[in-house]
Amino acid sequence: MRYIPEPFKIKMIEPIRITTKEERRQAVEASGYNNFGLRSDDVYIDLLTDSGTSALSDQQWAGMIIGDEAYSGGRSYYRLLEVATGIFGYDYIQPVHQGRAAEKVLFPLIVTPGQYVVSNTFFDTTRGHTMIAGGTPIDLVCEEGKDPATYADFKGNMDVPALEAFIAEHGAPNIGAIVMTITNNSVGGQPVSVANLREVSRIGREHGILVIIDAARYAENAYFVKQREPEFADASIREITREIFALGDVFTMSAKKDAIVSMGGLIAVRDQTTHADLIAGIKGLVVPNEGFITYGGLSGRDLEALATGLEEGLNEDYLRYRIGQHQYLASRLDEYGIGYQNPVGGHGVYIDAAALLPHIPWYQFPGHALAVELYLEAGIRSCEIGSYLLDPDPITGEQPRATSEFTRLAVPRRVYTQGHLDVVAEALRAIKERAHTVPGYEIVEQGKVLRHFTAKLRPVQHEA
């Protein structure tokens, strides 16, 4: 595939250090073989996450200069409300400092201990906050999402028949909420169709179950809808976004993704009349945990950058380039016969580590093994999305097995060029040639929740 040129000029650069293999070996050993423990100065190309790692625009930097730092009632807050209400159409918008803060505030208000919360697929912090609130997270992604090698337009969809069967089996009162993650991160940044969202919304309303949209990558999802769902071929990204959010009751957002900011998040409630008690509960938890309502843990500078980033993230030329980067990298991997979640998603490329490293069993975390090896090979930092990401069952202590074992290459927005992506492709080619030498890993130290951020590991010998 032809690389789509950047729809912007580069006006500032940040030098990055190229390390030696021995330096990288020492660094990863010191981190406990956990890429989250690496110093950024020891990383050449950082694909650990697209969250908060993007480049701000000239308009965002300009807006930050005039950010209103008033403790209450600042004009930057009201500008954010105006922009967000215009895009999403929700009655109540609450800024918070990031996405997991939104979940920390919301989930204790909607989950009664012992209830289930059902999702097309939870990502790590959402799963964690469901469990912290006493709920049991249930993933019901469509069957297409479970097969990395086979193309499907909307691999992030909810398995609607499975959802209906689950409600029939367990009863609507035992389900705290339905969470639709767009795009579906753990399944490879795969989009969710409007048709699927309509079905889920219908089911939620028929049974009186709250429908929550995890909206971190809403704009990328809308772009895929425009490209792949015929009903919306002539609609604007903004129009598709409005259609999507009309199908939810509440949304949480890590604005560090599609709103292209370094820090920020949102909670929003669509109907303030129906959900007046929920809004009151949100306010009641934001004030002691995040700060006053009109800043929610963010500076006025952050609020200004967020308002501008929400608008910039909807630009179709930008989205074409953004997703085109991943399609270009995937085309390079096709040349080398390296499998990935096909088609590529909105925020990165998910390598099928189980296929690349077939000698490593799932419980020795092939996705993590490939992430460590990619750093050793070329100083490229990535992360695992697979069984290592899943915390042990809090009751039985058993290690869950993920549907797929991915190594995620999450590309920051407006940061890396074609040359950087070529380096990534060549590094993976080199690893494939010596794949049989890559060790698996076992955990030697871990926390109870969201262990992958801080766990320590060690390499293990291959099993016969």
Side-chain angles (χ1 to χ4, degrees):
M1 175 184 166
R2 180 179 67 87
Y3 185 88
I4 295 176
E6 287 80 358
F8 52 81
K9 296 186 294 183
I10 297 171
K11 298 175 68 175
M12 184 184 75
I13 64 165
E14 176 187 349
I16 49 179
R17 179 169 170 253
I18 300 176
T19 56
T20 66
K21 192 158 190 176
E22 177 58 24
E23 287 173 327
R24 296 194 293 273
R25 185 190 65 77
Q26 293 177 13
V28 79
E29 285 182 0
S31 76
Y33 294 95
N34 186 333
N35 284 356
F36 284 95
L38 293 170
R39 292 173 177 257
S40 64
D41 285 346
D42 294 328
V43 174
Y44 176 47
I45 299 174
D46 202 344
L47 307 182
L48 182 70
T49 180
D50 63 316
S51 179
T53 57
S54 301
L56 301 184
S57 71
D58 56 351
Q59 294 302 304
Q60 287 177 297
W61 282 114
M64 291 170 72
I65 293 173
I66 61 170
D68 184 354
E69 305 301 342
Y71 184 89
S72 63
R75 64 178 175 273
S76 299
Y77 164 75
Y78 288 106
R79 178 173 177 243
L80 173 61
L81 288 193
E82 181 180 0
V83 170
T85 302
I87 292 172
F88 304 113
Y90 278 39
D91 288 347
Y92 182 74
I93 306 284
Q94 176 61 59
V96 289
H97 84 271
Q98 63 182 87
R100 68 191 62 184
E103 295 162 356
K104 179 183 178 182
V105 167
L106 180 65
F107 276 71
L109 299 172
I110 62 170
V111 179
T112 299
Q115 284 187 316
Y116 297 99
V117 180
V118 184
S119 179
N120 54 338
T121 312
F122 286 95
F123 198 57
D124 55 2
T125 62
T126 324
R127 182 183 302 276
H129 281 112
T130 296
M131 297 170 69
I132 290 169
T136 299
I138 302 294
D139 293 332
L140 296 178
V141 70
C142 65
E143 287 300 314
E144 297 90 334
K146 301 174 183 178
D147 180 4
T150 303
Y151 181 99
D153 282 340
F154 291 102
K155 283 185 165 182
N157 280 354
M158 175 76 80
D159 185 335
V160 170
L163 174 62
E164 293 179 312
F166 190 88
I167 295 171
E169 178 182 356
H170 296 279
N174 294 313
I175 300 172
I178 300 169
V179 177
M180 292 298 288
T181 310
I182 60 170
T183 56
N184 193 330
N185 193 341
S186 291
V187 182
Q190 295 294 307
V192 176
S193 70
V194 173
N196 187 253
L197 281 163
R198 284 173 179 159
E199 283 297 292
V200 172
S201 179
R202 174 187 61 78
I203 292 167
R205 288 167 189 174
E206 284 179 0
H207 292 281
I209 302 172
L210 199 71
V211 176
I212 302 169
I213 296 176
D214 179 351
R217 299 173 178 90
Y218 71 98
E220 292 168 1
N221 200 92
Y223 181 83
F224 282 122
V225 166
K226 181 175 177 64
Q227 297 299 309
R228 300 176 185 176
E229 206 162 358
E231 176 185 349
F232 297 97
D234 297 324
S236 68
I237 301 298
R238 183 181 291 270
E239 290 168 340
I240 296 167
T241 296
R242 195 64 175 263
E243 181 75 16
I244 286 171
F245 282 89
L247 299 170
D249 299 305
V250 180
F251 77 76
T252 59
M253 178 187 293
S254 169
K256 296 165 67 177
K257 284 82 167 178
D258 271 3
I260 325 180
V261 290
S262 304
M263 188 59 66
L266 296 174
I267 310 170
V269 181
R270 185 169 54 84
D271 188 335
Q272 64 182 352
T273 301
T274 304
H275 298 296
D277 290 343
L278 178 59
I279 292 172
I282 290 169
K283 292 178 179 178
L285 288 179
V286 164
V287 171
N289 288 293
E290 290 289 291
F292 190 64
I293 301 299
T294 60
Y295 75 92
L298 295 171
S299 67
R301 296 183 292 276
D302 292 326
L303 296 169
E304 283 288 345
L306 175 50
T308 301
L310 285 169
E311 295 278 9
E312 292 182 353
L314 295 173
N315 182 278
E316 191 170 336
D317 289 337
Y318 153 74
L319 288 167
R320 183 181 300 109
Y321 144 79
R322 164 78 176 151
I323 293 169
Q325 280 197 310
H326 312 138
Q327 293 169 339
Y328 171 79
L329 177 55
S331 72
R332 293 298 317 277
L333 299 182
D334 288 338
E335 296 176 30
Y336 303 136
I338 296 172
Y340 53 87
Q341 176 65 288
N342 181 31
V344 291
H347 67 283
V349 178
Y350 286 56
I351 307 299
D352 186 350
L356 186 61
L357 306 173
H359 61 286
I360 299 178
W362 68 270
Y363 52 84
Q364 291 181 2
F365 313 126
H368 181 75
L370 180 57
V372 172
E373 204 65 23
L374 195 56
Y375 175 72
L376 288 170
E377 176 65 31
I380 299 163
R381 180 159 63 167
S382 59
C383 74
E384 187 260 17
I385 304 293
S387 298
Y388 173 55
L389 186 76
L390 303 178
D391 292 327
D393 186 285
I395 298 174
T396 67
E398 293 183 2
Q399 169 64 55
R401 183 176 184 177
T403 301
S404 300
E405 305 293 342
F406 291 128
T407 302
R408 184 182 74 171
L409 311 176
V411 181
R413 293 159 183 82
R414 307 188 294 207
V415 170
Y416 292 118
T417 65
Q418 180 178 356
H420 293 109
L421 299 184
D422 287 337
V423 170
V424 175
E426 294 299 328
L428 285 165
R429 177 193 59 79
I431 294 170
K432 181 184 178 184
E433 291 177 353
R434 54 177 176 80
H436 65 283
T437 68
V438 177
Y441 285 82
E442 65 181 5
I443 298 171
V444 296
E445 179 184 319
Q446 63 180 323
K448 292 183 178 180
V449 179
L450 299 173
R451 67 176 183 190
H452 59 286
F453 287 119
T454 57
K456 305 294 184 183
L457 303 95
R458 65 186 172 202
V460 295
Q461 297 298 317
H462 308 156
E463 294 187 353

